[in-house]
Amino acid sequence: MASRKVGVLTFHRSINYGSYWQARCLVEGLRARGLDAEILDHRSRRVEWREARNAFQPTLPVRTDPRHFAALGRKTRALIAAVNALPLSPPFPLEDAARSPGYDAIVIGSDEVWNFRHPWYSGASIFFGEGLNADRLVSYAASFGNHDAADGIDPHWLERLRRFHALSVRDENSRAMLAPLSSDRLSSARAERSRGTSVGQAAPSSSLELAGSGRKDSSIPLVLDPCLQFPQVIPDAAARSDTRYAVVYGHSFPDWFTAQLGRWADATGTRLVTIGYPNPIADDERIDATPADFSTLIAGATAVATNFFHGCVFAIRHARPFVCAASPYRRNKVQDLTRALGLGDHLVEDGTSDAAFAHLLAVLPTDLPARLAAERTASSRFLDHALA
């Protein structure tokens, strides 16, 4: 019997280590489940131009020093080469989803695929399932990013998400955005019970499925980022370096954070290595790191200082202590990840004492493996249900 053909729809060509790794982990994780999975290779010259501009000017309106362009160029080429080595569909236009291949199911996520504030993917209807050739639409760890639930969602988009067979998200803000769908499902279940039928008897194509998360309520389930759900895709930690170093991953850090990090590095004799982006506080630069280098450097580090979601994710994957100065753009997804895993205090703020800062860069909670295992079980249950 042939394996079911499954497509993965995400921001796989973003010039970003997290985008690459979550796309790879999701597609390889699905393949490990016996599915014939590949990434839908949507292409757009407009998007690619914006990605390239952002790759060389990541901190606009503050312009990047041209001395870093060569290293940023090497990083960009390394990411493009790594993406091209992934299992990809034949390319098709982003704006014409009808030209994409046909699948038994398409999994949309993991990324902020529904973010109406994204600078170039905002409002791309393909991520809401429009025009796709699939018997079944599923979201896995999808997100509205920094589009706040208080700003709401137009019914036009909600109607498209209502056609999904199973939905999951990675943060509470996104769950709140989809609350009307949870209410619809609960009302449908009550109506069916009153008619003497069960929810399971409803036709899959006519009602949104929310079960399978193991949760007792009818809310859209929260699931793990693919890098934590399928950690076997990422090579295990290498032998620790003879030189004590901490990774700095991100950019545009607040002044209080860099000052506090500098004091900690001086007090502990730790060198600071920046990955992917220039950072004046760093002792060493690996701006041109490949995706594999990114993971290896975090695996060998003493600790991680970041303001990026996947800086936290990879610190957790490699069991490295970390601190995160969550920016407004990334706060929604970072705070819910850390809260779910008992790591909320690793989100530091102006006013965190030097002693507390140092403690967080030295240890992780002893119950973290158990919490990860529990979240993986719930996320696996959702996938079992969604792709059954």
Side-chain angles (χ1 to χ4, degrees):
M1 181 177 178
S3 298
R4 296 184 68 207
K5 188 175 182 182
V6 176
V8 171
L9 180 61
T10 187
F11 297 165
H12 64 294
R13 289 197 175 274
S14 293
I15 308 302
N16 177 280
Y17 299 120
S19 295
Y20 164 79
W21 275 111
Q22 66 187 357
R24 177 177 168 181
C25 287
L26 184 52
V27 72
E28 292 192 16
L30 294 176
R31 286 183 160 221
R33 295 170 68 90
L35 300 168
D36 180 14
E38 67 181 15
I39 296 171
L40 278 78
D41 192 19
H42 54 83
R43 308 298 294 267
S44 166
R45 288 186 179 181
R46 173 186 61 84
V47 168
E48 289 167 10
W49 182 86
R50 296 290 297 275
E51 284 285 353
R53 183 171 183 263
N54 185 66
F56 286 90
Q57 295 289 346
T59 60
L60 287 176
V62 177
R63 299 192 65 84
T64 302
D65 190 324
R67 292 177 297 176
H68 298 301
F69 285 173
L72 289 167
R74 292 192 295 272
K75 168 192 170 184
T76 300
R77 290 190 293 273
L79 277 159
I80 291 172
V83 168
N84 286 338
L86 295 174
L88 300 172
S89 76
F92 63 93
L94 173 71
E95 297 81 7
D96 192 358
R99 292 171 61 181
S100 64
Y103 297 93
D104 296 311
I106 291 178
V107 179
I108 299 178
S110 159
D111 212 324
E112 52 191 68
V113 288
W114 300 328
N115 189 355
F116 297 114
R117 296 182 182 178
H118 194 282
W120 46 89
Y121 279 121
S122 173
S125 61
I126 186 174
F127 298 106
F128 292 81
E130 194 73 13
L132 291 172
N133 301 305
D135 296 333
R136 192 173 181 85
L137 292 175
V138 172
S139 75
Y140 183 81
S143 175
F144 287 90
N146 66 324
H147 180 86
D148 197 271
D151 295 327
I153 179 172
D154 191 286
H156 166 84
W157 300 111
L158 203 60
E159 283 303 311
R160 278 150 180 76
L161 294 176
R162 186 172 277 113
R163 296 182 299 189
F164 278 56
H165 292 78
L167 289 168
S168 68
V169 295
R170 72 181 184 191
D171 55 73
E172 290 287 356
N173 180 70
S174 297
R175 194 198 319 234
M177 289 284 286
L178 299 181
L181 299 184
S182 298
S183 299
D184 289 351
R185 176 57 175 167
L186 187 58
S187 298
S188 175
R190 287 171 175 165
E192 289 173 3
R193 283 197 297 271
S194 70
R195 293 194 302 267
T197 59
S198 68
V199 176
Q201 291 173 312
S205 61
S206 63
S207 63
L208 177 70
E209 298 172 8
L210 303 176
S213 67
R215 302 180 188 275
K216 295 181 179 179
D217 58 33
S218 63
S219 299
I220 307 292
L222 295 180
V223 294
L224 276 178
D225 180 274
C227 300
L228 296 176
Q229 179 64 18
F230 303 110
Q232 69 277 8
V233 176
I234 302 168
D236 286 329
R240 301 293 287 274
S241 169
D242 291 337
T243 303
R244 178 185 170 90
Y245 72 90
V247 159
V248 180
Y249 180 54
H251 60 71
S252 307
F253 292 101
D255 291 342
W256 64 263
F257 184 79
T258 54
Q260 195 162 34
L261 181 62
R263 292 195 299 272
W264 171 82
D266 290 342
T268 57
T270 305
R271 295 186 66 79
L272 299 178
V273 179
T274 184
I275 306 178
Y277 302 97
N279 273 299
I281 193 175
D283 301 296
D284 299 304
E285 293 181 338
R286 289 299 308 273
I287 298 171
D288 58 355
T290 67
D293 293 337
F294 166 78
S295 179
T296 299
L297 284 164
I298 290 179
T302 300
V304 176
T306 187
N307 61 354
F308 278 19
F309 177 72
H310 278 98
C312 300
V313 165
F314 269 76
I316 295 166
R317 163 60 184 89
H318 291 302
R320 297 295 177 254
F322 71 96
V323 289
C324 177
S327 65
Y329 184 84
R330 297 176 175 86
R331 178 164 291 278
N332 284 336
K333 52 190 177 183
V334 170
Q335 68 183 4
D336 290 327
L337 169 72
T338 53
R339 183 188 297 120
L341 297 176
L343 299 167
D345 56 350
H346 287 257
L347 298 187
V348 294
E349 298 179 346
D350 190 6
T352 299
S353 70
D354 283 0
F357 195 88
H359 176 73
L360 295 170
L361 286 171
V363 297
L364 288 173
T366 56
D367 66 345
L368 178 57
R371 286 177 176 265
L372 276 170
E375 293 296 327
R376 285 191 189 113
T377 297
S379 298
S380 293
R381 192 179 295 117
F382 169 79
L383 284 171
D384 289 342
H385 166 78
L387 297 173

